[in-house]
Amino acid sequence: MHPMLKPALRRAWRGRNTVQFGVTRAHAVKLGPVDIATGSFLELLDGTRGLPLLREEARALDLPGPQVDTLVRRLADAGLIDDVRAGGPEADALRNRTDVLERQRPDLASLSVVHPEPGGGLRRLAARRSMRVQVRGAGRVGAAIAALLSGSGVGRVEVLDGGLAEPSDVAPGGLPATAVGERRDTAARQLVRRSAVGPAPRATETAGTAAAGTRGSGVPVLGDAANGGPGLSLVVVAPRDGLAVYAPDPRAAESWIASGIPHLYAGVIEATGVVGPLVLPGGTACAGCLELARADRDPQWPRMLAQWRSGRRNAVQACDLGLATAVAGLAAAHALAFLDGELPATTGARWEAALPLLDWRSEQIGAHLGCFCGAGGHTVGERTSVLDAAHDTMAG
Ligand SMILES: [Zn+2]
């Protein structure tokens, strides 16, 4: 082990003998009491020394070896230590890709703050490279999500959409103006390639992890790998028609529910941005649960929904560029948190922000007992175990 204090966390002395690592409430940690010798020793934890050398140099500071071991262990338990050599074989492979790593340093630093164990950040960043995500929709929101996921190191990002790109699809971070008139899916694929931090991993690079059934982060790998690639880790549903996000059609999600593929909805309808729910099939509320609950609350809802869905709309869809970009960013961050092994706040919930106030609000979406997905049949205890199962191997 070559311990290094996580450089992403700013350090400050709180009074004379307490050190605070980190600024914000979410991740700040206080360490104390810290005497002057220990304070000086902290400066040695920069990843250039192994434990034997650290013990030797600590003797010059009058810190005995056992105290060094205890301190390093305490720091590691507090999530403050990274190990520049840990993370496993996939992480080692990524360490050799300095071009990729240089670009992703901020992402890696962020992961190191979120995940406490030494080497945990790099392990997750490396695991992203063998993941496969499908984004359905290449409009302002969908294309930007695909680009963000690709730029964040997800190895395989597929985009599905029909028709030709229109001027209204163009967005900074999404399809460029030169894509107008090209097939949307082709243009989106080029965008994904341009946004990627490096070439996609070769099939042989991912074969080992695909066989194991889980990614390095513990996210279940589902679906088949008939085309030689890994199964789908996640589908992001980001259609150009915001109604298909606000009131998603349960039939469109049937195959994902049946094959257990997690899926996340994101889009803009009228002047409202929507992110979520992230559906863990059989574990959390799905599009069907959402529709049934809405009909319970508003008996006229199905009648209106049928009209909205059947009507051919040629009118321009409202889609504020700032809101669309915020939705894309938030959706990509939730997708990445999930791929990295967490259950973000969209799991079984939906976040909405409406112009002009834009105050994000969340609504829990309960699993419906009448829904075909079966999530409503779980008791609270069982449901928790389904959630646990999705990420059980995360700590491994
Ligand atoms: Zn359901």
Side-chain angles (χ1 to χ4, degrees), residues 257 279 282 284-290 292 366-368 370-376:
I257 298 288
V279 180
T284 66
C286 74
C289 296
L290 193 63
L292 288 167
H368 199 283
C371 183
F372 71 98
C373 77

Side-chain angles (χ1 to χ4, degrees), residues 51-127:
L51 279 172
L53 184 55
L54 280 173
R55 290 189 199 105
E56 202 180 305
E57 294 197 20
R59 266 200 298 277
L61 299 167
D62 280 337
L63 279 179
Q67 205 173 320
V68 167
D69 293 358
T70 306
L71 181 61
V72 170
R73 197 168 49 242
R74 269 181 68 202
L75 290 165
D77 289 346
L80 298 171
I81 292 283
D82 215 339
D83 182 353
V84 297
R85 300 188 173 185
E90 286 183 328
D92 289 338
L94 187 53
R95 268 188 203 98
N96 295 329
R97 295 291 311 274
T98 45
D99 54 331
V100 173
L101 216 45
E102 279 304 312
R103 256 185 74 175
Q104 291 210 274
R105 279 215 184 277
D107 306 271
L108 177 58
S110 173
L111 282 167
S112 82
V113 170
V114 177
H115 300 282
E117 77 279 14
L122 192 61
R123 186 163 65 81
R124 284 173 177 82
L125 196 62

